[in-house]
Amino acid sequence: MSVASPQPIALETRDLCKHFSGLEVLKGVSTAIRAGEVRAVIGPNGAGKTTFINVLTGIHPASSGRVFLGDADVTGLPAYRIARKGLSRTFQISNLFADLTVLENAMVAVHAGRCFRQSRETVDESLSLVGLSALADRLVSEISHGDQKLLEVAIATACGPDVLLLDEPTAGMSPSETNRFIDLLNERLRSRYTIVIVEHDMNVVMNTADVISVLTLGRILAEGKPDEIRTNPGVQEAYLGSAYA
Amino acid sequence: MSVRTALGVVALLVLAVMPFVTGPYAVFVCAQMITLIYIAASLQMSFAYARILSFMQGTFFGLGSYVACVTHGSGFTLPVMLLAAVAASGVLGVVVGLVVTRMKAAHTAVICTLLVATIVLMCANSFVGITGGEDGLSLRGGSYMFGLAVAFGANRITYCFAFLPLAAYFIFVMLAERTTFGVVMKAVGSNEVRAAQLGYQVWLRHLAVFAAAGGMAGYGGAMNAVVLEHVSSALFDPNLSLTAVLWTAVGGLAHPFGALFGGLLVFPLTELAARAFKYVDIVVGALLIAAALLFPQGIAGLVGERRLGHFNRRSSKEMLAEGPEGRSQTA
Amino acid sequence: MDFSYALIFQTFNGVVWGLIFALIALGLSLTFGLMNLMNVAHASFYMLGAVLTAQFVTRLGLGFWSGAALATISVGGLGMVVNRLVLARVVDSPPVIGLLATAGLLLVIESSTLATFGAVPVSVDPPVDATFSIFGVDYPGYRLVVAGLAVAILIVTFLLLRFTRFGLWMRAAPQQRELALISGVSSGRINTATVIIGSLLAGVAGALVAPIAGAHFQMGSSVLAVAFTVIVVGGAGNLWGAVVIAILLGVVRGVAAAFMTPSEAEILSLVLLLPVLLLRPDGILAKARS
């Protein structure tokens, strides 16, 4: 994506570290994501991708380093305040309000948003964005796994974020669901949000990302456009392996 | 209207007309039952909206009783007695809530409420000069409400004081169930992590709920003192909280009406059993075991609770140990 | 009786009580750590240990030691039955269910005890009459024997968990439930063993307490919250932590009792635990262990 004047930075980490009682999971991650960018974070299992998201969103406090959301330093803020500053996320394993209906999940999310003018329209809009309007009155526990993942996206967007973190959004989806998700991201989400997507499925990554960061052993090994990453010998060795060599 | 709502409305209507069609004894029994339902309802509130299975709701109840008794003794009228009872137990709720709402693992919060309940019971038994110990204190005579004389004991007026706020609570819950307020309360109660990631300040909401639940149990306690004209340190016995847990468990922890149904079902049962059989706690205990073994879904509120149990176990272990992305392959 | 005399005497008492708490808390910690079950009925095992000992001694005329042994074994047997009937069925349910079921058990056991043996506290004569003079204080010999026995039992339990294959499985099971199952260990048998050891520990604690504090059907309630708090403060699943905190708690209570009435000291020792729960809700020793 060629942009004439560089967009401002939407999300930045500086030397971000996280260790769990001696186990170092993130060892100094520094990166800057520009507004409107779709950034994919890839890496083998155990690279620290989910921890990265959990530290960004404030579920785990960072051990050291800083996180900036736009101009604001959000390091160490509680999760709810980071969310209110415009950072929203989905969960790798669907983490919804299981005993509420699809519509009620969206209601909760819209109400949480900075815009408190709650209306039926905003709620409906968030569901139609991901194509779940028809299931509005079903209990979350009754809908399919793929639909739950879409609802994850719906409520993550309904609270009105600027930056959207998608933690393996297509994990467990069928190939056709995955393709629909790629379309959803490219056609509807890309234009509205700055997106960070953690993903294992290279098909999704290569078809959506503007920039890819490769995370291995808690460090960023490489960062660049998809073509650069695809041809980077270090990445091939460390991560892509035989599949892309 | 769901079956549950319909049953709830019927139950409330029956309780509403009860004092006007039956005799004094029935009024006495029902008034007592209603005050005890406050404990169960407040427990359900704390569990459903703040994720705290409180074993100290009986403590709030006992505190409310004593505060009502003491303020009456100091010459205050009924509104002051009731407000003071609610305020005192609400304040205790805030203090304890400050501790328990910060606890990540569900069991720690349970233990903390149990510990506070034990401490308060010991204090009540130890400072006999203030509490009257197991012999207790009496509330004599009556009081005034804005110039209107209110005689203590079980009568239609005290029955109304006991029943109307409880009925108002249940009706409010019923009406709010599908509103944004009701849905958000349920959501913040059922999935803390998700709610926080959407921008809800979960712990403050949980604290408010726990304090409100404390105040609610305190009001029930105050009315219990007014109806029975007596308070004693036995009110702080954890068994009272356990009884409330039983009622709520039988009726269902997931919905406010669970407390109402459980109370209406179990209280008469135990009262009857107590006539035939001296050691009625055996029956209560057996019912608890049976409820847990035979109708775990009834207790837990079907799907939601199953998921909650799973979530709780995750939150204690996985939240701390999730670091190395141990679960990334399970999806 | 001058002050230092009282202080030394009460400190000894504190250590003895701390060791008794440690026995109870260790049993509770085993069922909690290994089965993820908050066994509220554990307190009634302790109570039964004391009540049965008192009954065996006063009604059947048994000697104290044989009565205590018989009571402990009976409690262990009861633990087995209770596990089969109730605990095994709730062990994989949400924590709430296990909590309710064991709370029900507590009520059933307590009121059955009341129905069978009555509400009158029964006192038991200590089997050791002699007093020992330590630091100028005449201290009842029986309590020293209790302290020694408690230490011995704690050591034996730890050796059992540390050096037997069974103990290894018991320690492995909670961390790697699936793994333990794959390696062909029956989690049911581990749970049964856990409950039996837990109830034996509670039972023996009760039996040893009988000559010190008497036996009463409600005596379990007073240790329930203490034991639970001890295992949380000690770090859930951390057996040593629970034992250390229990002994510390006993000592604090003992020392405090030199300055105030025993019940005030008891209250104070519990109140002191509250800030700990607030500041380190996952336990003082939780971090140090991992």
PDB file of all heavy atoms in Angstrom, chain A residues 44 202 230 232-245:
ATOM      1  N   PRO A  44       6.008 -19.131  15.158  1.00  0.00           N
ATOM      2  CA  PRO A  44       5.682 -20.493  15.581  1.00  0.00           C
ATOM      3  C   PRO A  44       5.005 -20.501  16.952  1.00  0.00           C
ATOM      4  O   PRO A  44       5.010 -19.494  17.665  1.00  0.00           O
ATOM      5  CB  PRO A  44       7.039 -21.189  15.629  1.00  0.00           C
ATOM      6  CG  PRO A  44       8.040 -20.102  15.716  1.00  0.00           C
ATOM      7  CD  PRO A  44       7.457 -18.908  15.073  1.00  0.00           C
ATOM      8  N   MET A 202      -1.435 -18.969   6.630  1.00  0.00           N
ATOM      9  CA  MET A 202      -0.675 -18.077   5.751  1.00  0.00           C
ATOM     10  C   MET A 202      -1.535 -17.505   4.631  1.00  0.00           C
ATOM     11  O   MET A 202      -1.286 -16.414   4.136  1.00  0.00           O
ATOM     12  CB  MET A 202       0.513 -18.830   5.139  1.00  0.00           C
ATOM     13  CG  MET A 202       1.666 -18.966   6.098  1.00  0.00           C
ATOM     14  SD  MET A 202       2.130 -17.343   6.713  1.00  0.00           S
ATOM     15  CE  MET A 202       2.238 -17.689   8.428  1.00  0.00           C
ATOM     16  N   ARG A 230       8.159 -13.191   2.617  1.00  0.00           N
ATOM     17  CA  ARG A 230       8.116 -14.472   1.914  1.00  0.00           C
ATOM     18  C   ARG A 230       9.503 -14.880   1.427  1.00  0.00           C
ATOM     19  O   ARG A 230       9.850 -16.047   1.434  1.00  0.00           O
ATOM     20  CB  ARG A 230       7.167 -14.330   0.710  1.00  0.00           C
ATOM     21  CG  ARG A 230       6.523 -15.625   0.268  1.00  0.00           C
ATOM     22  CD  ARG A 230       5.939 -15.466  -1.120  1.00  0.00           C
ATOM     23  NE  ARG A 230       4.883 -14.461  -1.211  1.00  0.00           N
ATOM     24  CZ  ARG A 230       3.596 -14.762  -1.148  1.00  0.00           C
ATOM     25  NH1 ARG A 230       3.196 -15.981  -0.960  1.00  0.00           N
ATOM     26  NH2 ARG A 230       2.698 -13.809  -1.265  1.00  0.00           N
ATOM     27  N   ASN A 232      12.418 -13.719   2.667  1.00  0.00           N
ATOM     28  CA  ASN A 232      13.473 -13.547   3.676  1.00  0.00           C
ATOM     29  C   ASN A 232      14.009 -14.900   4.112  1.00  0.00           C
ATOM     30  O   ASN A 232      13.270 -15.717   4.665  1.00  0.00           O
ATOM     31  CB  ASN A 232      12.876 -12.795   4.869  1.00  0.00           C
ATOM     32  CG  ASN A 232      13.907 -12.502   5.949  1.00  0.00           C
ATOM     33  OD1 ASN A 232      14.764 -13.348   6.222  1.00  0.00           O
ATOM     34  ND2 ASN A 232      13.816 -11.339   6.556  1.00  0.00           N
ATOM     35  N   PRO A 233      15.288 -15.173   3.833  1.00  0.00           N
ATOM     36  CA  PRO A 233      15.801 -16.522   4.130  1.00  0.00           C
ATOM     37  C   PRO A 233      15.769 -16.846   5.624  1.00  0.00           C
ATOM     38  O   PRO A 233      15.478 -17.980   6.009  1.00  0.00           O
ATOM     39  CB  PRO A 233      17.237 -16.472   3.605  1.00  0.00           C
ATOM     40  CG  PRO A 233      17.549 -15.031   3.379  1.00  0.00           C
ATOM     41  CD  PRO A 233      16.279 -14.294   3.214  1.00  0.00           C
ATOM     42  N   GLY A 234      16.027 -15.858   6.471  1.00  0.00           N
ATOM     43  CA  GLY A 234      16.008 -16.098   7.919  1.00  0.00           C
ATOM     44  C   GLY A 234      14.632 -16.535   8.382  1.00  0.00           C
ATOM     45  O   GLY A 234      14.497 -17.437   9.202  1.00  0.00           O
ATOM     46  N   VAL A 235      13.612 -15.894   7.836  1.00  0.00           N
ATOM     47  CA  VAL A 235      12.252 -16.253   8.210  1.00  0.00           C
ATOM     48  C   VAL A 235      11.914 -17.646   7.722  1.00  0.00           C
ATOM     49  O   VAL A 235      11.339 -18.458   8.446  1.00  0.00           O
ATOM     50  CB  VAL A 235      11.246 -15.225   7.636  1.00  0.00           C
ATOM     51  CG1 VAL A 235       9.827 -15.661   7.923  1.00  0.00           C
ATOM     52  CG2 VAL A 235      11.514 -13.854   8.204  1.00  0.00           C
ATOM     53  N   GLN A 236      12.312 -17.913   6.500  1.00  0.00           N
ATOM     54  CA  GLN A 236      12.019 -19.245   5.964  1.00  0.00           C
ATOM     55  C   GLN A 236      12.607 -20.321   6.856  1.00  0.00           C
ATOM     56  O   GLN A 236      11.959 -21.314   7.160  1.00  0.00           O
ATOM     57  CB  GLN A 236      12.594 -19.374   4.558  1.00  0.00           C
ATOM     58  CG  GLN A 236      11.812 -18.575   3.542  1.00  0.00           C
ATOM     59  CD  GLN A 236      12.323 -18.779   2.142  1.00  0.00           C
ATOM     60  OE1 GLN A 236      13.269 -19.523   1.913  1.00  0.00           O
ATOM     61  NE2 GLN A 236      11.682 -18.121   1.188  1.00  0.00           N
ATOM     62  N   GLU A 237      13.822 -20.059   7.272  1.00  0.00           N
ATOM     63  CA  GLU A 237      14.487 -21.047   8.102  1.00  0.00           C
ATOM     64  C   GLU A 237      13.795 -21.176   9.446  1.00  0.00           C
ATOM     65  O   GLU A 237      13.488 -22.265   9.918  1.00  0.00           O
ATOM     66  CB  GLU A 237      15.954 -20.633   8.288  1.00  0.00           C
ATOM     67  CG  GLU A 237      16.809 -21.709   8.890  1.00  0.00           C
ATOM     68  CD  GLU A 237      18.204 -21.177   9.192  1.00  0.00           C
ATOM     69  OE1 GLU A 237      18.619 -20.207   8.496  1.00  0.00           O
ATOM     70  OE2 GLU A 237      18.837 -21.695  10.097  1.00  0.00           O
ATOM     71  N   ALA A 238      13.529 -20.047  10.078  1.00  0.00           N
ATOM     72  CA  ALA A 238      13.030 -20.066  11.444  1.00  0.00           C
ATOM     73  C   ALA A 238      11.563 -20.464  11.529  1.00  0.00           C
ATOM     74  O   ALA A 238      11.137 -21.066  12.498  1.00  0.00           O
ATOM     75  CB  ALA A 238      13.215 -18.696  12.078  1.00  0.00           C
ATOM     76  N   TYR A 239      10.797 -20.114  10.539  1.00  0.00           N
ATOM     77  CA  TYR A 239       9.370 -20.279  10.739  1.00  0.00           C
ATOM     78  C   TYR A 239       8.681 -21.000   9.598  1.00  0.00           C
ATOM     79  O   TYR A 239       8.033 -22.020   9.791  1.00  0.00           O
ATOM     80  CB  TYR A 239       8.724 -18.909  10.949  1.00  0.00           C
ATOM     81  CG  TYR A 239       7.232 -18.992  11.088  1.00  0.00           C
ATOM     82  CD1 TYR A 239       6.670 -19.790  12.085  1.00  0.00           C
ATOM     83  CD2 TYR A 239       6.404 -18.313  10.224  1.00  0.00           C
ATOM     84  CE1 TYR A 239       5.313 -19.879  12.207  1.00  0.00           C
ATOM     85  CE2 TYR A 239       5.042 -18.411  10.355  1.00  0.00           C
ATOM     86  CZ  TYR A 239       4.500 -19.188  11.328  1.00  0.00           C
ATOM     87  OH  TYR A 239       3.158 -19.286  11.467  1.00  0.00           O
ATOM     88  N   LEU A 240       8.827 -20.451   8.405  1.00  0.00           N
ATOM     89  CA  LEU A 240       8.027 -21.005   7.321  1.00  0.00           C
ATOM     90  C   LEU A 240       8.452 -22.426   6.985  1.00  0.00           C
ATOM     91  O   LEU A 240       7.634 -23.252   6.626  1.00  0.00           O
ATOM     92  CB  LEU A 240       8.126 -20.104   6.093  1.00  0.00           C
ATOM     93  CG  LEU A 240       7.548 -18.698   6.329  1.00  0.00           C
ATOM     94  CD1 LEU A 240       7.784 -17.823   5.106  1.00  0.00           C
ATOM     95  CD2 LEU A 240       6.083 -18.756   6.649  1.00  0.00           C
ATOM     96  N   GLY A 241       9.740 -22.678   7.110  1.00  0.00           N
ATOM     97  CA  GLY A 241      10.222 -24.037   6.926  1.00  0.00           C
ATOM     98  C   GLY A 241       9.981 -24.546   5.518  1.00  0.00           C
ATOM     99  O   GLY A 241       9.929 -23.783   4.556  1.00  0.00           O
ATOM    100  N   SER A 242       9.822 -25.826   5.398  1.00  0.00           N
ATOM    101  CA  SER A 242       9.748 -26.456   4.094  1.00  0.00           C
ATOM    102  C   SER A 242       8.515 -26.021   3.313  1.00  0.00           C
ATOM    103  O   SER A 242       8.530 -25.995   2.095  1.00  0.00           O
ATOM    104  CB  SER A 242       9.779 -27.976   4.245  1.00  0.00           C
ATOM    105  OG  SER A 242       8.723 -28.374   5.090  1.00  0.00           O
ATOM    106  N   ALA A 243       7.456 -25.644   4.002  1.00  0.00           N
ATOM    107  CA  ALA A 243       6.208 -25.348   3.313  1.00  0.00           C
ATOM    108  C   ALA A 243       6.369 -24.216   2.317  1.00  0.00           C
ATOM    109  O   ALA A 243       5.734 -24.215   1.264  1.00  0.00           O
ATOM    110  CB  ALA A 243       5.122 -24.976   4.316  1.00  0.00           C
ATOM    111  N   TYR A 244       7.238 -23.242   2.640  1.00  0.00           N
ATOM    112  CA  TYR A 244       7.384 -22.114   1.737  1.00  0.00           C
ATOM    113  C   TYR A 244       8.772 -22.017   1.120  1.00  0.00           C
ATOM    114  O   TYR A 244       9.045 -21.122   0.380  1.00  0.00           O
ATOM    115  CB  TYR A 244       7.051 -20.804   2.475  1.00  0.00           C
ATOM    116  CG  TYR A 244       5.586 -20.499   2.431  1.00  0.00           C
ATOM    117  CD1 TYR A 244       4.709 -21.184   3.270  1.00  0.00           C
ATOM    118  CD2 TYR A 244       5.075 -19.573   1.524  1.00  0.00           C
ATOM    119  CE1 TYR A 244       3.356 -20.923   3.213  1.00  0.00           C
ATOM    120  CE2 TYR A 244       3.726 -19.314   1.480  1.00  0.00           C
ATOM    121  CZ  TYR A 244       2.874 -19.983   2.324  1.00  0.00           C
ATOM    122  OH  TYR A 244       1.539 -19.740   2.276  1.00  0.00           O
ATOM    123  N   ALA A 245       9.624 -22.941   1.455  1.00  0.00           N
ATOM    124  CA  ALA A 245      10.993 -22.834   0.974  1.00  0.00           C
ATOM    125  C   ALA A 245      11.069 -23.147  -0.511  1.00  0.00           C
ATOM    126  O   ALA A 245      10.243 -23.875  -1.018  1.00  0.00           O
ATOM    127  CB  ALA A 245      11.899 -23.793   1.753  1.00  0.00           C
TER     128      ALA A 245
END
